């Protein structure tokens, strides 16, 4: 009596199983590679689109509206502006041409811009000036054309720009208004300061004399006007 032997797996079955597993692993790897390539392609496509957008923005920014052009220049090979022959001619003409002037007198003692000039109503040869160098000056004109004025008095004491100067109607006093917030009264014959008149604070912007007496009125940056007796220096209500 023969014994039945149970069937055994063929020798190649294990190898087949192993091959199947390897194939599935390779398929998964290929799938991952495809996914990565697809992702890389999508990223590359996005980068390409962004580059296009940036180029379009640069082109839009580089566009020049003809209405915005102020002047045009010719550029040489080295990137330098080629000078215009007409400009050279204009410069040469300007250097050779004398500038005519009708000035009767020139005052040069101020070191900064002059903001106010006033003539003495009694003697038109005497004038006063105020400037950005914190000073006022009393001058005397010369009678010859193109001559420098004679400095009579330097009115020093203000600590900021002298914006306004005025002679009294009898020509004996000078009032100066300054951005330091004060008005000063000066003796026109000696240049001596007789009174320092304090305002409400802030810059004094103008000063004027009463037409019939030694009364001075000044305006300040806050819009107020103050009045003093210039002889005594007292504030007048």
């Amino acid at each position: 009596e023969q014994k039945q032997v149970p069937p055994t797996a063929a020798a190649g079955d294990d190898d087949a199983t192993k091959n199947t597993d390897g194939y599935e692993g390779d398929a998964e790897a290929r799938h991952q590679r495809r996914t990565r390539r697809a992702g890389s392609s999508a990223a590359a496509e996005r980068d390409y689109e962004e580059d296009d957008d940036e180029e379009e923005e640069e082109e839009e920014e580089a566009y020049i509206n003809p209405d915005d052009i102020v002047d045009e220049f010719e550029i040489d090979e080295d990137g330098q502006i080629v000078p215009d022959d007409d400009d050279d001619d204009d410069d040469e003409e300007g250097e050779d041409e004398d500038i005519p002037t009708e000035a009767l007198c020139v005052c040069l003692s101020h070191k900064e811009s002059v903001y106010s000039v006033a003539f003495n109503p009694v003697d038109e040869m005497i004038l006063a000036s105020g400037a950005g160098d914190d000073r006022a000056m009393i001058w005397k004109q010369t009678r010859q054309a193109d001559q420098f004025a004679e400095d009579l008095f330097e009115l020093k004491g203000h600590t900021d720009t002298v914006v306004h100067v005025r002679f009294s109607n009898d020509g004996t006093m000078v009032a100066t208004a300054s951005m330091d917030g004060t008005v000063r009264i000066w003796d026109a014959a000696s240049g001596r300061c007789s009174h320092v008149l304090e305002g409400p604070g802030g810059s004094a912007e103008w000063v004027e004399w009463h037409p019939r007496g030694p009364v001075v009125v000044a305006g300040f940056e806050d819009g107020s006007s103050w009045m003093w007796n210039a002889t005594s220096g007292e504030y007048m209500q």
Side-chain angles (χ1 to χ4, degrees):
E1 186 177 320
Q2 296 181 350
K3 294 183 179 179
Q4 294 182 357
V5 179
T8 58
D13 288 346
D14 290 339
D15 294 338
T17 302
K18 293 178 181 178
N19 291 337
T20 302
D21 294 339
Y23 177 80
E24 293 176 352
D26 292 343
E28 179 64 23
R30 286 194 297 273
H31 176 70
Q32 293 177 356
R33 286 197 296 272
R34 293 194 188 97
T35 302
R36 286 196 296 270
R37 284 198 297 270
S40 299
S41 299
E45 182 66 22
R46 287 195 300 270
D47 293 341
Y48 182 80
E49 293 176 354
E50 291 175 358
D51 290 341
D52 287 344
D53 293 338
E54 291 177 358
E55 290 178 0
E56 291 178 0
E57 291 178 359
E58 291 177 357
E59 291 177 357
E60 291 177 359
E61 293 176 356
Y63 173 73
I64 299 177
N65 189 331
D67 296 335
D68 296 334
I69 298 176
V70 177
D71 204 347
E72 295 181 357
F73 301 94
E74 182 180 354
I75 306 297
D76 60 18
E77 296 178 354
D78 297 328
Q80 302 297 321
I81 297 177
V82 178
D84 191 348
D85 294 337
D86 294 337
D87 293 340
D88 295 339
D89 295 339
D90 292 341
D91 293 339
E92 293 176 359
E93 292 175 1
E95 293 175 357
D96 297 336
E97 183 180 358
D98 293 333
I99 300 176
T101 177
E102 297 180 359
L104 299 178
C105 189
V106 180
C107 306
L108 297 176
S109 292
H110 282 298
K111 298 178 180 179
E112 299 290 344
S113 300
V114 175
Y115 294 101
S116 180
V117 175
F119 287 86
N120 189 318
V122 177
D123 185 355
E124 64 179 10
M125 300 302 293
I126 306 298
L127 64 149
S129 59
D133 56 8
D134 307 346
R135 300 182 302 156
M137 299 290 297
I138 297 179
W139 316 81
K140 183 177 181 180
Q141 297 184 76
T142 59
R143 293 188 179 276
Q144 297 179 0
D146 298 331
Q147 296 295 316
F148 296 115
E150 178 186 354
D151 298 352
L152 296 181
F153 305 107
E154 180 182 12
L155 310 182
K156 297 176 65 176
H158 285 295
T159 59
D160 207 336
T161 299
V162 179
V163 295
H164 212 204
V165 296
R166 282 293 183 269
F167 277 96
S168 61
N169 288 282
D170 60 4
T172 61
M173 291 181 284
V174 176
T176 57
S178 171
M179 293 180 68
D180 64 10
T182 67
V183 173
R184 289 177 179 255
I185 306 299
W186 313 81
D187 179 25
S190 66
R192 182 181 64 87
C193 180
S194 58
H195 297 291
V196 179
L197 310 177
E198 298 283 347
S203 173
E205 297 187 345
W206 56 267
V207 62
E208 293 290 348
W209 289 88
H210 193 283
R212 295 184 180 179
V215 175
V216 65
V217 181
F220 292 83
E221 65 178 353
D222 65 353
S224 65
S225 298
W226 289 51
M227 184 167 61
W228 297 271
N229 183 315
T231 303
S232 64
E234 294 181 357
Y235 172 70
M236 301 176 65
Q237 297 290 337

